[in-house]
Amino acid sequence: MVKEECKALLDALSKVTACYRHMVLTIGGTSDSQNLREELKKTRQKAQELAVANRNKLTAVLKDKSVSKEDKAEFERLWVIFSTCLEILEIDMRRALELGHEFPLNVPKKHLIQTGMSGGTSGVAARAMSIQNMKYEAEHNIDVVDLKDLENEINQVGEMMYEMEMKVSVPQWTVEAKQDPGAELKSTISVGASSIGMISVEENKSFCDISKILAGIIFSAVLIIAIVLAVCVVKLS
Amino acid sequence: MTVGGPRGGHPRLQMPCLSKMERMIVSMQDPDMGIKMRNQRLLITVIPHAMTGNDIVEWLIQKYGISEEESLHLGNLIVKHGYIYPLKDPRSLTLRADESPYRFQTPYFWTSTKWPATELDYAIYLAKKNIRKQGDLIEHEKDNYNLLHKRINHTWDFVVMQAREQLRAAKQRRKGDRIVIDCQEQAYWLVNRPPPGAPSVLEQGPERRNCHTSRVQLNMDYYKREIEYCRKAMARTRVKSSICLEGYIKFNEQYVPHDPIMSGCLPSNPWITDDTTYWAMNAPTVLTPTKLRVERWGFDFSELLTDPLGRAQLLEFLKKEFSAENLSFWEACEELRYGEQSRIAEIVDSIYQQFLAPGATRWVNIDSKTMERTLEGIKTPHRYVMDDAQMHIYMLMKKDSYPRFLKSELYRNLLAEAVIPPETKKRVFPFMRKQRHSSPSPALLLPAGDAEDKIKGPTAVPEEES
């Protein structure tokens, strides 16, 4: 079914956009590396492929006159989602370009910002590319070389968006969201489980003290047990 | 489709103070000269790159050679603008010069006027927070959430989708990094969407927005323009302030006796005594003008001309001198200048026929150059064709007829006959004095039914107030 295909493509694009945003966040920080730049390059190329596929499919459907009214409304909603996704992608690409210029990697005098991130983003990239493990094949100065390609790709995306605006006219005010406020809470998402635990710990003001108190309690418990055992041994012997 | 950033309007520039702060932050990263980092210990995880407030203050003192007070203030500004965020008390963006830990913000989340925070991103952030906290948002965040749901309703599905995807992507990172990212995002939105009542750092006054004027390119064009401007400024006519102040003082001395506020007005000030004689006596058309009024005609030609009574007297005088056509011509030109657009051609024609045509009944004496120009202009009539001629005649009257008018018998008679209104006598017996009160409200003069309501109205209000 066309609708399902469109939805699947859109979901994929949304996933890749989220991963791309995640990776752009880390540019300029201490976990920035040549690998990150390569991941960025691969992710955005994948995003572009998906965007083109989405656009072709959706324009074909929207131009089709034989589609029913409800279906048309649904496709228009998907179209609006698609164009917003593309906007976010373009803005992130522009920021990646700017940050890439500001934070080149191999210059000894330019230091990266110590943001506290220590791990890599290979997991995120693997999720974006829908593969198990990332392979890194680029040269060691990809951070500089890639910027030119990035500029071209930004222009391409800009042109695509302009074309889309011109060719397909979908008035945004006619599209209504299917989800009510708070809809995201209803689905079963175990996303926050581990991070919830960590965040509530984060909110605690003196976690250092808590760890100390815990250690103290454990130590005293062990001490008491040891004393009790010693007393028993003494008593029994 | 909403158009974002550079594709839309003019390119935005980074606020200069923010660029300076960015440079400062980058210089703090130097492994030798920068701030010493410590590790932050949570229960199980250890996150590097934390520093204490003290470290920051001391580094600033050392680097810039400033006092502690200034360094604290500077550090406070950096924290307020979101380049460094506190770890212990994330909601209060202030720098404490003690052991409280701080960390640097990632460059993507640096405060920027070039990349303003969009509503879409804020909506995604709130949706993510909603999921993480299972609906437990702060008051103002809840309000913003509902507002955004209404405002960007057309992409709300995308917001929810993207929020879920971003959370799933974050799962792929280590625990420590996940915590750091959450803190970073929280700090970013505290700066860009401060809670109600907190001052927003990004507010720029109306003058400041124009970054273009402050950024001047010091090139050839700029200097050429400056030279031209200075040359024109030197060529301007200037009056010495001693001279203009003298003129100013003379004017004031001349007019002080005529000013009703400064010198009182006879017979009495209508606003105080409710006696409208003053206005009646100074009406535009009155049989006998007051003395002050006639004296004023002697100050300046324009005073004479603008007063209808004065103008009439001038006309009388000019008739005797056989130069009344000048004044008529001047009046006709005024009618042209301030009259209706549709009648312009008609009026120009009538002026030409009456005053300018050779052999006209009331031919005015204009010099040949002005006459030529005016006749040329009449071919394409517009509001201001007669300006030159009118000015010529005006100056003629001013220089020639006006002084003679002032010396004439007509004027002297007018002065003699002018009336000085007597001051209203103050009543001897106090209780006979006219009560000073404001005029009755016109509302009370309405027919009976309405009057009753109106009377009830004002009385109802004092009851409420008491």
Side-chain angles (χ1 to χ4, degrees):
Chain A
M1 267 282 281
V2 187
K3 235 192 254 183
E4 265 70 26
E5 286 171 21
C6 284
K7 278 210 185 110
L9 272 176
L10 208 50
D11 284 338
L13 180 62
S14 172
K15 177 176 78 168
V16 176
T17 312
C19 294
Y20 190 68
R21 156 74 62 100
H22 209 88
M23 288 189 269
V24 176
L25 279 182
T26 39
I27 301 183
T30 33
S31 56
D32 196 357
S33 62
Q34 301 288 358
N35 287 349
L36 175 68
R37 304 297 173 101
E38 193 182 339
E39 287 162 11
L40 280 167
K41 178 182 177 130
K42 290 199 171 138
T43 314
R44 72 164 188 268
Q45 279 169 350
K46 173 106 193 210
Q48 277 194 295
E49 286 169 23
L50 281 170
V52 169
N54 256 302
R55 178 200 62 178
N56 293 340
K57 229 194 176 83
L58 278 172
T59 24
V61 168
L62 285 171
K63 288 226 167 112
D64 190 6
K65 305 277 181 187
S66 63
V67 177
S68 71
K69 239 192 172 176
E70 300 96 40
D71 279 353
K72 185 129 202 204
E74 175 64 19
F75 284 120
E76 283 182 352
R77 187 184 75 94
L78 291 177
W79 177 264
V80 168
I81 293 178
F82 170 55
S83 50
T84 328
C85 196
L86 214 53
E87 267 176 46
I88 283 196
L89 193 65
E90 196 208 355
I91 292 179
D92 278 345
M93 280 164 74
R94 281 185 200 272
R95 294 217 64 183
L97 180 66
E98 189 201 357
L99 290 171
H101 276 302
E102 263 187 58
F103 295 99
L105 288 174
N106 287 331
V107 180
K109 285 284 169 123
K110 291 216 166 169
H111 311 291
L112 297 172
I113 310 292
Q114 291 156 304
T115 49
M117 314 258 247
S118 36
T121 41
S122 45
V124 181
R127 185 187 160 79
M129 309 292 288
S130 312
I131 52 181
Q132 279 290 79
N133 290 313
M134 286 291 293
K135 292 199 196 81
Y136 299 101
E137 316 135 328
E139 307 115 30
H140 61 278
N141 61 343
I142 185 174
D143 58 324
V144 173
V145 167
D146 188 37
L147 293 176
K148 277 264 156 55
D149 294 336
L150 180 51
E151 263 190 76
N152 292 336
E153 287 176 31
I154 291 176
N155 290 333
Q156 277 176 20
V157 172
E159 275 173 28
M160 179 154 80
M161 287 173 77
Y162 180 72
E163 261 185 64
M164 280 163 58
E165 247 178 283
M166 292 293 122
K167 288 199 179 149
V168 179
S169 62
V170 172
Q172 285 183 332
W173 52 89
T174 56
V175 173
E176 269 183 42
K178 271 191 172 168
Q179 324 236 16
D180 300 324
E184 59 265 17
L185 297 169
K186 293 181 192 147
S187 55
T188 51
I189 297 187
S190 58
V191 181
S194 47
S195 26
I196 284 179
M198 290 318 290
I199 299 303
S200 52
V201 168
E202 180 72 36
E203 304 282 317
N204 256 328
K205 295 217 169 138
S206 49
F207 32 70
C208 305
D209 293 353
I210 280 191
S211 68
K212 280 187 192 150
I213 290 169
L214 261 170
I217 291 170
I218 292 169
F219 180 75
S220 42
V222 166
L223 197 60
I224 289 168
I225 291 170
I227 292 170
V228 164
L229 280 173
V231 165
C232 290
V233 163
V234 165
K235 269 207 170 162
L236 286 174
S237 63
Chain B
M1 246 207 288
T2 50
V3 188
R7 204 154 66 88
H10 58 90
R12 292 194 197 93
L13 293 171
Q14 179 76 311
M15 227 157 90
C17 64
L18 297 177
S19 321
K20 290 179 196 166
M21 280 191 222
E22 282 170 20
R23 286 198 289 272
M24 198 186 281
I25 294 286
V26 170
S27 65
M28 282 187 194
Q29 310 302 323
D30 196 319
D32 310 313
M33 305 291 293
I35 303 187
K36 295 275 173 281
M37 293 284 131
R38 298 150 202 253
N39 286 336
Q40 178 197 19
R41 283 182 185 286
L42 300 177
L43 258 187
I44 314 162
T45 30
V46 173
I47 307 179
H49 308 146
M51 52 202 166
T52 62
N54 242 342
D55 289 339
I56 300 173
V57 169
E58 273 176 28
W59 183 87
L60 284 170
I61 292 176
Q62 223 179 14
K63 167 102 183 181
Y64 295 108
I66 50 181
S67 65
E68 182 171 344
E69 197 185 344
E70 192 177 346
S71 143
L72 194 62
H73 174 72
L74 200 56
N76 234 332
L77 280 177
I78 298 181
V79 174
K80 272 204 174 36
H81 281 78
Y83 290 94
I84 295 178
Y85 58 92
L87 299 173
K88 258 219 181 120
D89 194 8
R91 302 216 157 263
S92 93
L93 293 171
T94 49
L95 181 68
R96 272 184 274 247
D98 52 16
E99 300 299 309
S100 26
Y102 292 86
R103 190 174 282 134
F104 289 111
Q105 178 70 284
T106 185
Y108 185 85
F109 281 146
W110 280 352
T111 313
S112 177
T113 41
K114 249 204 282 192
W115 304 99
T118 58
E119 284 192 336
L120 194 58
D121 285 335
Y122 190 44
I124 296 175
Y125 166 68
L126 286 177
K128 277 202 285 189
K129 202 164 182 189
N130 214 8
I131 297 175
R132 273 195 291 115
K133 299 229 164 165
Q134 296 292 305
D136 184 28
L137 294 174
I138 312 175
E139 261 317 305
H140 81 271
E141 281 177 350
K142 271 201 195 115
D143 294 334
N144 284 338
Y145 183 85
N146 293 329
L147 240 142
L148 281 167
H149 176 83
K150 257 190 247 157
R151 220 185 284 168
I152 49 171
N153 189 278
H154 54 276
T155 49
W156 193 257
D157 297 332
F158 173 71
V159 167
V160 173
M161 239 164 67
Q162 185 72 307
R164 290 196 187 125
E165 285 299 334
Q166 284 189 5
L167 285 172
R168 284 183 201 135
K171 260 177 112 183
Q172 304 297 324
R173 308 206 61 177
R174 293 159 114 212
K175 232 177 231 175
D177 290 351
R178 240 181 292 158
I179 300 173
V180 171
I181 293 172
D182 287 333
C183 292
Q184 284 173 350
E185 242 193 318
Q186 187 185 40
Y188 177 71
W189 289 111
L190 272 173
V191 173
N192 282 282
R193 294 280 189 272
S200 166
V201 137
L202 285 173
E203 261 169 29
Q204 297 166 295
E207 323 90 66
R208 285 214 215 156
R209 269 201 171 252
N210 203 349
C211 315
H212 303 282
T213 47
S214 53
R215 295 273 193 99
V216 203
Q217 278 259 309
L218 295 178
N219 54 9
M220 272 249 289
D221 284 328
Y222 169 71
Y223 286 120
K224 276 192 190 153
R225 271 183 283 135
E226 287 285 297
I227 291 172
E228 199 49 49
Y229 173 74
C230 291
R231 227 180 251 149
K232 281 193 194 145
M234 283 206 305
R236 274 209 314 259
T237 49
R238 283 171 166 75
V239 184
K240 275 168 83 168
S241 54
S242 55
I243 296 177
C244 39
L245 287 173
E246 263 180 44
Y248 192 62
I249 291 172
K250 244 192 239 164
F251 175 86
N252 278 303
E253 277 170 0
Q254 201 178 44
Y255 276 90
V256 145
H258 297 258
D259 190 311
I261 295 177
M262 304 297 283
S263 320
C265 56
L266 306 168
S268 58
N269 191 331
W271 296 111
I272 298 175
T273 57
D274 282 346
D275 181 18
T276 52
T277 327
Y278 175 73
W279 289 330
M281 295 189 83
N282 283 295
T285 43
V286 108
L287 275 177
T288 37
T290 56
K291 188 143 198 170
L292 284 176
R293 189 171 172 181
V294 179
E295 273 174 17
R296 265 208 300 278
W297 296 344
F299 289 169
D300 189 30
F301 186 50
S302 54
E303 285 272 358
L304 179 63
L305 219 48
T306 44
D307 190 346
L309 216 58
R311 204 190 285 188
Q313 298 298 331
L314 181 66
L315 192 64
E316 288 299 315
F317 174 74
L318 288 176
K319 275 191 187 147
K320 286 193 193 142
E321 299 228 323
F322 303 108
S323 42
E325 64 271 5
N326 289 341
L327 188 57
S328 309
F329 176 69
W330 185 87
E331 280 180 341
C333 292
E334 285 288 284
E335 199 193 334
L336 174 65
R337 284 189 85 189
Y338 299 110
E340 288 173 13
Q341 179 76 16
S342 51
R343 292 189 54 213
I344 284 182
E346 183 193 326
I347 297 175
V348 168
D349 195 48
S350 89
I351 290 178
Y352 174 72
Q353 293 302 328
Q354 277 194 317
F355 299 102
L356 298 172
T361 46
R362 305 158 92 190
W363 190 80
V364 282
N365 194 359
I366 313 178
D367 69 297
S368 50
K369 264 202 204 139
T370 323
M371 182 64 96
E372 261 178 56
R373 257 184 287 149
T374 314
L375 290 176
E376 267 304 306
I378 286 179
K379 292 181 188 153
T380 47
H382 60 93
R383 208 176 277 278
Y384 305 111
V385 283
M386 298 291 176
D387 270 8
D388 288 336
Q390 186 187 17
M391 184 50 75
H392 181 90
I393 293 294
Y394 179 85
M395 295 312 283
L396 190 69
M397 286 198 286
K398 179 172 176 177
K399 294 213 172 104
D400 196 29
S401 317
Y402 180 58
R404 282 207 297 269
F405 171 76
L406 292 181
K407 291 183 200 143
S408 69
E409 252 199 70
L410 179 65
Y411 184 62
R412 270 188 238 148
N413 284 342
L414 280 170
L415 267 178
E417 282 165 20
V419 159
I420 302 180
E423 203 179 334
T424 33
K425 283 198 203 118
K426 290 203 181 101
R427 310 251 171 184
V428 180
F429 299 108
F431 50 84
M432 291 269 283
R433 219 174 272 174
K434 198 169 178 191
Q435 292 294 327
R436 293 178 188 185
H437 55 83
S438 61
S439 323
S441 162
L444 293 175
L445 299 170
L446 286 175
D450 293 79
E452 269 184 300
D453 295 332
K454 287 280 173 6
I455 291 168
K456 278 198 194 126
T459 50
V461 172
E463 279 171 7
E464 283 169 17
E465 281 176 10
S466 61

